[in-house]
Amino acid sequence: MVIPMLNPLVYSLRNKEVKSAFMKLESLTGGMFAWSPDLNQSGPTEFVFRVFTTVPELQALLFLLFLLLYLMILCGNTAIIWAVRAHSSLRTPMYFFLSNLSFLEICYTSVVVPLMLSNILGAQKPIPLAGCGAQMFFFVTLGSTDCFLLAVMAYDRYVAIRHPLHYALIMTQKLCVQMVVCALGLALFLSLQLTSLIFTLPFCGHRREINHFLSDVPPGLRLACADTRVHQAVLYVVGILVLTVPFLLICVSAILRIRSAEGRRRAFSTCSSHLAVVLLQYGFCALVCLRPQSSSSVDEDRQFALVYTFITPLLNPLIYTLRNKDVKGALRKAISSKGTAEAL
C-alpha cells in the first residue's frame, strides 16, 4: 500500500519533466488542472504568527499558563526517562518505548512552545522562510513519529497479552530498536516530501501573517497564491498514512484480534489509558489535517492544535506514571535514595 502510493509522489512531484508535462496539460485544458501558478511572482521573505490577544493582561495570563504547562511537560517526561534509565527493573520493551515517547514529547513541544511564548509576550517577530520551513519539518516529523510509536506500543501490549510466554523471545531489544528507527525513518521521509512540496508554492507579498501559533501545513496552504488541490491531496495521503493506518492497527492489535471475552476485558483494562491518549492524539490531528478546507475554521484549527501541543504531552507522564506501579515504585526509590544520600 505504501510503496505504490509513494511512487507517484516521488517520481512526479519532484521530477521536472513530469511537472512540465502537467503544465502543458494545464495550458491545453484551459487551466482545469491548475498545476502551477505564475512562478514569476516574488515569494515572501518572512512570516509572522498571529498573537492570541493584544490585551496586555490576557497576554501575561496566557504566557504564565502556557509556560506552566510547558514546564510540567518537561519535568514529567524527563522524570520518566530518568526512572527508566536509572532502574534495571524498568528496562523492558514497554518502558523502552515509553522513554522514547517521552523524549519525543519533549522535542515535539520544544519545537513550538518557546517561539510561541516569545510571540505572546512580545511583538510579532518576523520568521524567515527557512525558519518557518524548519519548524514545519521538525513538527511534522516528531508528530508523525509520535503517532507511529503509539501504534508500536499497542503492538507491544498485544504481544504481552496474546503471547505472554513468548513475549521475551518476540520483543527482543534488537526488534524494539528497529521498530523505533523505522518509525522515525518513515516520519522523516513523509515530512521531507510534504514540507518541500508546501514550500515550493509561491506566496503573495513580502510578509505574510500566519493565523496560527505554529508553522503547520493547513495554515501554510491557506497562504499560497496558487491552486493547492494537488498539495491538499498529498496532505490527505500523508494524513491517512500517519493517522488512519496506525489507528486501525492499534484497534486491531489491542482489541479485535483477542477473541475471548476475558482477553478483551484484560486488554481494555491494560490499554484503556493508552487508548485515551491515542484518541486525543489521532482525533484532533485528524480534525486539523483530514478535514476539507471549505469546512474548516482557522480558529478551530488553533484550538485543536493546542490539544496535541500541550494536553497530550502532559497526559503521557500522568497516565503512564500515576497508573503504573512499577514507575511509581522506581520514582519513590530514587527520591528516597537521594534523600538518604543528602542526609549522609
Side-chain angles (χ1 to χ4, degrees), residues 44-48 124 126 204-209:
T45 57
E46 57 190 16
F47 295 89
V48 291
Q124 287 180 304
C204 305
H206 173 70
R207 177 181 294 185
R208 293 304 305 267
E209 184 183 57

Side-chain angles (χ1 to χ4, degrees), residues 15-326:
N15 187 297
K16 293 181 180 179
E17 288 87 356
V18 177
K19 285 197 288 186
S20 63
F22 273 110
M23 293 177 188
K24 292 179 182 179
L25 182 62
E26 174 197 2
S27 62
L28 292 175
T29 55
M32 176 181 176
F33 292 91
W35 174 263
S36 177
D38 185 10
L39 296 179
N40 295 324
Q41 193 172 15
S42 60
T45 57
E46 57 190 16
F47 295 89
V48 291
F49 295 105
R50 180 173 295 181
V51 296
F52 286 93
T53 179
T54 57
V55 180
E57 292 78 8
L58 292 178
Q59 285 181 338
L61 182 62
L62 288 175
F63 178 84
L64 293 175
L65 174 62
F66 291 139
L67 178 62
L68 177 62
L69 292 175
Y70 181 54
L71 293 177
M72 292 173 65
I73 291 169
L74 292 181
C75 293
N77 286 285
T78 303
I80 291 179
I81 297 173
W82 175 59
V84 172
R85 299 299 178 187
H87 296 273
S88 58
S89 61
L90 299 182
R91 292 174 187 173
T92 62
M94 182 178 73
Y95 296 112
F96 171 76
F97 294 134
L98 180 57
S99 63
N100 281 275
L101 180 66
S102 296
F103 178 73
L104 279 175
E105 300 290 13
I106 292 174
C107 299
Y108 178 74
T109 53
S110 298
V111 169
V112 177
V113 178
L115 181 61
M116 173 186 172
L117 292 176
S118 66
N119 286 327
I120 290 176
L121 204 56
Q124 287 180 304
K125 299 178 181 178
I127 307 298
L129 182 65
C132 197
Q135 188 189 55
M136 180 183 291
F137 171 75
F138 286 111
F139 179 76
V140 175
T141 298
L142 295 169
S144 301
T145 309
D146 197 312
C147 293
F148 292 142
L149 193 56
L150 288 173
V152 170
M153 293 173 68
Y155 174 75
D156 172 72
R157 291 298 85 204
Y158 163 75
V159 174
I161 295 172
R162 187 74 184 271
H163 307 286
L165 299 179
H166 300 89
Y167 176 73
L169 297 176
I170 297 174
M171 300 300 296
T172 61
Q173 183 179 5
K174 181 180 179 180
L175 178 62
C176 294
V177 173
Q178 289 175 345
M179 294 174 82
V180 173
V181 171
C182 288
L184 179 60
L186 182 57
L188 281 169
F189 177 76
L190 294 175
S191 176
L192 181 62
Q193 301 298 320
L194 185 61
T195 306
S196 60
L197 186 64
I198 297 299
F199 282 90
T200 55
L201 284 168
F203 299 95
C204 305
H206 173 70
R207 177 181 294 185
R208 293 304 305 267
E209 184 183 57
I210 300 178
N211 191 6
H212 213 291
F213 60 86
L214 62 93
S215 178
D216 206 355
V217 177
L221 288 176
R222 291 190 181 96
L223 293 180
C225 49
D227 192 337
T228 60
R229 284 177 290 181
V230 174
H231 304 75
Q232 192 71 40
V234 174
L235 176 61
Y236 291 152
V237 171
V238 174
I240 290 172
L241 288 174
V242 173
L243 299 173
T244 308
V245 174
F247 180 73
L248 293 176
L249 290 176
I250 289 172
C251 294
V252 171
S253 64
I255 305 299
L256 299 181
R257 291 290 299 274
I258 301 174
R259 298 175 182 176
S260 65
E262 179 64 21
R264 292 188 180 183
R265 187 191 64 79
R266 288 179 55 203
F268 273 114
S269 177
T270 305
C271 306
S272 59
S273 57
H274 181 73
L275 291 175
V277 174
V278 166
L279 289 174
L280 281 176
Q281 179 80 7
Y282 288 80
F284 284 97
C285 288
L287 286 174
V288 172
C289 297
L290 298 182
R291 284 193 308 170
Q293 284 193 355
S294 58
S295 62
S296 63
S297 168
V298 177
D299 294 331
E300 288 181 352
D301 287 350
R302 290 211 300 178
Q303 295 169 7
F304 295 152
L306 285 173
V307 174
Y308 55 77
T309 303
F310 286 99
I311 305 302
T312 306
L314 183 61
L315 284 179
N316 281 336
L318 297 178
I319 288 176
Y320 295 113
T321 56
L322 297 180
R323 297 194 60 185
N324 192 301
K325 295 179 181 179
D326 297 331

